[in-house]
Amino acid sequence: MTNLLKLYPASYRREFGDEIADAYREATDGASGTARMREAADIAGHALRMRLGLGSAGRTGRLLAAVAPFAVIAVGVYTMFLTRLTISALRITDRMDDIGSVVLTGAGGVAALVGVVLALTGRWAVGTWTALAGLTASFAVQALRPGLGLEFAVFFSGPAFLSALVAVLCPPDLRPMPRPRASKAGVVAALAGAAVLTVAPALWSLPHPLPTLLPSLAGLLLAGRQAFTRLRTAPAVLLASLPFAAVGIIVGALDALLLPLVLALPFAAVVGVRNRRRGPATPSM
């Protein structure tokens, strides 16, 4: 716990350190290892937000919360693309010299994809941290791999890495709330669907938009209406579209990725107007 507290700014640690330590001990008393890891991840994320000034009361924190669901969906589309590339590469292993790097890159992508599914099915903290860890591993392998290097890694994995970081930095009290269908069966079904949408295009040729259009639509369905409730201003809409645009350029399907968001924006506008008339619970951006 001492090491976790050191992540906070010194002034914040002096004022609230004992309170955070007591809350952590209470939350993890008799808890499983998974629960302890989840609490530690929450504290690490909170400390990072405190250092960066990204609290839920500020405009930046609220913008992060608006972008976060769409950033996670874009990460999911990217990791599916990365995993498909890995599967295609492994099918020609007899012509490859560096199969270990390919497997490690793909493994990081698979871990990140699992994290995306967890985040979109109600397990936001563990899911976003898993996605970030998987992308970090893939980024490191690409940067160190001969013939690729840091510049390639920044171009190929940088946008997805930043999108995952946005999701991790989303203020806890503004995270997407778990929905009733976010049960174990729902997680299994979502993982199975992600596996099918990932593996099938790698083995059989599908029409151009489908390998990216279907995952993005599935991600928006998992995120649900609440993902659009904070898209009330032009900056929020623009920032929500940036992860899709960046990933779309990389996977060569910009049109297929932006189309679902463009179709959903009128719905977001209607939701925003209704929320403003009712009086939103959180400050307007």
Side-chain angles (χ1 to χ4, degrees), residues 58-126:
R59 177 181 174 84
T60 303
R62 298 197 302 275
L63 281 174
L64 282 177
V67 175
F70 302 97
V72 167
I73 296 169
V75 169
V77 175
Y78 169 80
T79 53
M80 287 182 174
F81 174 74
L82 181 62
T83 306
R84 288 198 299 271
L85 284 183
T86 303
I87 295 172
S88 299
L90 291 177
R91 296 174 67 188
I92 56 170
T93 53
D94 57 325
R95 287 174 277 172
M96 292 175 55
D97 298 326
D98 195 12
I99 187 174
S101 297
V102 174
V103 171
L104 289 175
T105 301
V110 170
L113 179 56
V114 171
V116 167
V117 173
L118 291 175
L120 292 176
T121 51
R123 293 152 179 83
W124 185 265
V126 66

Side-chain angles (χ1 to χ4, degrees), residues 105-199:
T105 301
V110 170
L113 179 56
V114 171
V116 167
V117 173
L118 291 175
L120 292 176
T121 51
R123 293 152 179 83
W124 185 265
V126 66
T128 53
W129 277 103
T130 300
L132 183 62
L135 288 174
T136 301
S138 290
F139 183 92
V141 173
Q142 293 167 25
L144 296 174
R145 183 179 176 185
L148 296 182
L150 181 60
E151 290 185 3
F152 175 87
V154 169
F155 170 77
F156 189 70
S157 292
F161 176 85
L162 291 177
S163 296
L165 186 61
V166 165
V168 167
L169 293 177
C170 176
D173 51 337
L174 296 181
R175 290 171 181 169
M177 298 297 293
R179 298 168 67 189
R181 53 98 178 99
S183 61
K184 290 184 179 180
V187 174
V188 172
L191 284 171
V196 171
L197 290 174
T198 301
V199 175

Side-chain angles (χ1 to χ4, degrees), residues 24-42:
Y24 176 79
R25 282 191 290 267
E26 181 179 348
T28 58
D29 184 26
S32 64
T34 301
R36 291 176 180 272
M37 290 179 60
R38 184 167 58 248
E39 291 295 330
D42 283 344

Side-chain angles (χ1 to χ4, degrees), residues 156-252:
F156 189 70
S157 292
F161 176 85
L162 291 177
S163 296
L165 186 61
V166 165
V168 167
L169 293 177
C170 176
D173 51 337
L174 296 181
R175 290 171 181 169
M177 298 297 293
R179 298 168 67 189
R181 53 98 178 99
S183 61
K184 290 184 179 180
V187 174
V188 172
L191 284 171
V196 171
L197 290 174
T198 301
V199 175
L203 300 179
W204 302 282
S205 178
L206 295 179
H208 160 63
L210 293 183
T212 48
L213 181 61
L214 290 179
S216 57
L217 286 172
L220 290 172
L221 287 174
L222 281 176
R225 184 177 63 178
Q226 63 173 322
F228 299 95
T229 57
R230 294 192 177 97
L231 296 183
R232 301 174 185 171
T233 63
V237 172
L238 175 62
L239 289 174
S241 67
L242 286 181
F244 284 81
V247 169
I249 291 172
I250 293 170
V251 306

